[in-house]
Amino acid sequence: MALTDTPVRLGVQIAPQHSSYATIRDAVARLEDMGVDVLFNWDHFYPLSGEPDGLHFEAWTMLSAWAEQTERVEFGCLVNCNSYRNADLQADMARTVDHISARGGEGRFIFGTGSGWFERDYDEYGYEFGTAGARLDALADALPRIERRWEKLNPAPTREIPVLIGGAGEKKTLRIVARHADIWHSFVSPEELVHKLAVIDRWAETDGGDASGLVISNELKGRDEGDAQALFDAGVRLFTLGITGPDLDFDAVARWIAWRDARNGRAS
């Protein structure tokens, strides 16, 4: 069973494409002021839509800036590509961003990660693309290294950094989710979620894990309030909304903030 005894939260993914960094910086400030709960970017090197060679920025250096700029929101990649960086380095980067965001207390960084899929990134930057299965195996090998490195670092992370894993494949991805994730993100339908959560529970039982604290995350773009309610009923508690330049849609964000607040019984 997923964790459902928790408030609905809204995460907004600002696609780091087709906008100047000044525009992205201003969007971060505006979205935090609007009351979103989590801010995400993505870990790619080229746009995923629109002009293929349009404006684009790297993820992790941007996250360091967000850590310093923001005061309240949690933030991270949706998702980091495991292929692009050594596992121990990823752990150290995550720990450092965690501390930058802490402001004397606990950090606000979420370590969202996945196996990678965008072949152009690999080709242009000199990484071996390989097969989907091999990339998932590499992610399965990396996560224990990341967790061990967090235990060795001095100073240690300010908190147990939440791990978000994206993907829905039942043979490998959901087994990794059952072993390592605090948050599972996907784009699957409400009807599919019931089955996928049962798969996660079976993998947890097989490997001696516990998925009872798993937070379920899903995307709102292209969906309406009825879809969102069905996802909620299926167990989703973190809803994400992707926005992209050159015209960032803050009106859509405001609508979903109002829905979140109504769902949580709060005034808008």
Side-chain angles (χ1 to χ4, degrees), residues 90-111:
Q90 292 178 56
D92 205 341
M93 292 165 67
R95 180 280 310 253
T96 299
V97 174
D98 165 70
H99 274 265
I100 294 169
S101 70
R103 308 289 186 185
E106 286 193 344
R108 295 172 284 115
F109 180 69
I110 294 172
F111 183 64

Side-chain angles (χ1 to χ4, degrees), residues 2-3 9 109-111 143 147 150 160-165 176-185 210-217 238:
L3 180 63
R9 296 197 298 160
F109 180 69
I110 294 172
F111 183 64
L143 281 163
E147 292 163 354
W150 280 337
E160 291 189 8
I161 296 175
V163 174
L164 178 155
I165 295 174
I176 297 170
V177 169
R179 287 176 171 174
H180 299 284
D182 300 291
I183 306 167
W184 169 50
H185 180 77
D210 180 6
S212 62
L214 186 66
V215 173
I216 309 306
S217 173
L238 174 59

Side-chain angles (χ1 to χ4, degrees), residues 23 33 41 49 73 77 79 84 96 100-103 113 128 134-135 159 167 177 200 227 258:
T23 298
D33 288 345
N41 61 13
S49 63
V73 290
C77 275
V79 289
Y84 301 160
T96 299
I100 294 169
S101 70
R103 308 289 186 185
T113 194
E128 181 182 353
R135 294 193 300 276
R159 64 173 181 168
V177 169
I200 292 171
D227 298 325

Side-chain angles (χ1 to χ4, degrees), residues 189-205:
S189 69
E191 296 77 20
E192 289 178 290
L193 272 176
V194 175
H195 170 70
K196 298 290 186 181
L197 289 172
V199 172
I200 292 171
D201 284 340
R202 288 199 298 272
W203 277 127
E205 184 177 353

Side-chain angles (χ1 to χ4, degrees), residues 233-251:
D233 292 341
V236 175
R237 292 298 180 269
L238 174 59
F239 291 83
T240 64
L241 178 66
I243 60 175
T244 186
D247 299 311
L248 299 171
D249 189 353
F250 295 102
D251 289 341

